[in-house]
């Protein structure tokens, strides 16, 4: 039986979000558990993220967490969405991914972003500043050179065991990310689904400027965003509430808190500004019943020409989140027999 998403890869990015009343260790364990479930459902890849000093996010060391995920699974591709390259020395990043690829050959992805720590204090603690993001293109070139043995920044230095290994790199499009991915000839991960015009502009510019490279002969586009599937549109919308409130809280108070249950959010006395951010955070996502989500995702694929959709959903109720992923797998026709292949 064919589906509107035939031929489109579906993947998962989990941010290891903490929930009220739970600690970071629980969030990390649940990320690993979700990875096992995603593999069983037939998803193509499972990625983890990098956030430093954020109260609501436990995933601060993505390559370490990726190792735990890879060890707990057998065939799903595992990677990062992404390692924020300006926060690190390219040699160290190459070494980390070299170790991952050596331990889990043919399953590791290297998703890379150009963001730096989001507060002055975090940037100081990392030994970075805002301007380091402007060095992303040069850092990316150096990083890839550690794998090919062609880097020239540090003559006579070699990345072990990375040199000679092939770990597929992906660029997360933030700001100039799409242009950098095109110039380097790398696959692009772009989001989110709420800013559809900006997303389409980035994809068009990427394809127009793409230059084939040893890493990719042609453009490859992954569209990332929140997708929720439930029995009803109302139920699906409720699952969006915890993340929407967390974003509104962060925008108005400067702190990104753990996820709260919808029933508590409904009782909150929000300021006018918070209410505006909250309502905005609920809009533009793909959510609803299986039929509605299938139609919406088919439209996304048609508009963008994407080869892959990376689902980035976070919510308070982990069981409901897993149920959403199960429904999404069903409507897309995924099966547990699907095996990962190098992208």
């Amino acid at each position: 039986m064919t589906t509107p998403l035939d031929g489109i890869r579906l993947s998962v990015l989990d941010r290891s979000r903490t929930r009220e009343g739970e600690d970071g260790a629980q969030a990390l364990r649940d990320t690993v558990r979700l990875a096992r479930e995603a593999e069983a459902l037939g998803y193509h890849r499972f990625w983890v993220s990098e956030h430093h000093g954020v109260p609501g996010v436990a995933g601060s060391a993505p390559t370490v967490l990726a190792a735990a995920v890879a060890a707990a699974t057998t065939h799903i591709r595992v990677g990062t969405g992404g390692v924020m390259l300006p926060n690190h020395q390219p040699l160290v990043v190459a070494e980390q991914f070299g170790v991952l690829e050596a331990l889990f050959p043919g399953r590791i992805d290297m998703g890379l972003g150009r963001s730096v720590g989001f507060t002055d204090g975090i940037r100081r603690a990392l030994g970075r500043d805002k301007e380091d993001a402007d060095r992303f293109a040069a850092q990316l070139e150096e990083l890839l050179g550690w794998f090919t043995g062609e880097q020239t920044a540090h003559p006579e230095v070699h990345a072990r065991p990375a040199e000679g290994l092939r770990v597929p790199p992906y660029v997360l499009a933030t700001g100039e990310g799409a242009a950098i991915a095109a110039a380097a000839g790398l696959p692009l991960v772009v989001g989110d689904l709420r800013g559809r015009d900006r997303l389409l502009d980035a994809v068009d510019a990427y394809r127009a400027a793409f230059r084939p490279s040893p890493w990719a002969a042609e453009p490859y586009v992954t569209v990332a965003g929140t997708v929720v599937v439930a029995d009803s549109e109302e139920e699906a919308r409720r699952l969006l509430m915890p993340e929407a409130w967390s974003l509104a809280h962060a925008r108005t108070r400067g702190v990104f808190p753990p996820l709260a249950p919808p029933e508590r959010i409904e009782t909150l006395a929000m300021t006018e500004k918070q209410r505006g951010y909250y309502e905005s955070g609920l809009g533009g996502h793909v959510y609803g019943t299986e039929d509605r989500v299938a139609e919406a995702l088919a439209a996304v694929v048609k508009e963008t020409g994407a080869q892959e959709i990376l689902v980035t959903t976070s919510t308070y109720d982990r069981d409901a989140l897993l149920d959403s992923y199960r429904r999404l797998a069903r409507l897309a026709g995924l099966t547990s027999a699907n095996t990962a292949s190098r992208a």
Side-chain angles (χ1 to χ4, degrees), residues 98-288:
V99 169
L100 285 170
E101 178 65 18
L103 291 172
F104 308 101
R107 294 181 57 204
I108 301 300
D109 300 323
M110 185 168 59
L112 305 162
R114 64 186 296 269
S115 298
V116 292
F118 78 105
T119 68
D120 289 339
I122 292 173
R123 287 190 289 271
R124 284 194 298 270
L126 291 169
R128 298 292 186 267
D129 56 41
K130 290 182 178 180
E131 287 68 32
D132 283 304
D134 298 332
R135 299 176 50 245
F136 178 68
Q139 285 188 305
L140 180 62
E141 181 179 8
E142 180 186 334
L143 173 61
L144 298 180
W146 287 116
F147 287 93
T148 63
E150 298 171 338
Q151 68 82 26
T152 58
H154 304 280
E156 300 182 5
V157 180
H158 299 271
R160 310 293 188 197
E163 189 172 310
L165 297 181
R166 187 173 178 85
V167 181
Y170 297 77
V171 173
L172 279 62
T174 56
E176 299 177 5
I180 292 171
L186 299 180
L188 176 72
V189 181
V190 61
D192 61 34
L193 294 171
R194 291 179 299 172
R196 195 65 57 87
D197 289 341
R198 293 193 302 275
L199 186 153
L200 293 175
D201 287 345
V203 169
D204 289 344
Y206 165 72
R207 287 204 175 98
F210 183 87
R211 298 190 303 191
S213 75
W215 301 97
E218 57 187 26
Y220 186 94
V221 174
T222 298
V223 173
T226 294
V227 181
V228 177
V229 193
D231 276 331
S232 67
E233 185 173 342
E234 179 182 2
E235 183 180 344
R237 190 176 188 275
R238 281 182 64 80
L239 296 181
L240 299 173
M241 291 170 59
E243 186 72 13
W245 166 243
S246 190
L247 290 169
H249 189 282
R251 290 282 187 89
T252 55
R253 299 185 184 179
V255 177
F256 203 82
L259 296 172
E263 54 269 23
R264 191 174 81 75
I265 296 170
E266 289 173 329
T267 68
L268 295 173
M270 299 184 194
T271 66
E272 183 178 351
K273 181 177 288 188
Q274 285 175 333
R275 177 64 63 179
Y277 284 129
Y278 173 69
E279 295 295 338
S280 176
L282 290 172
H285 304 293
V286 173
Y287 69 95

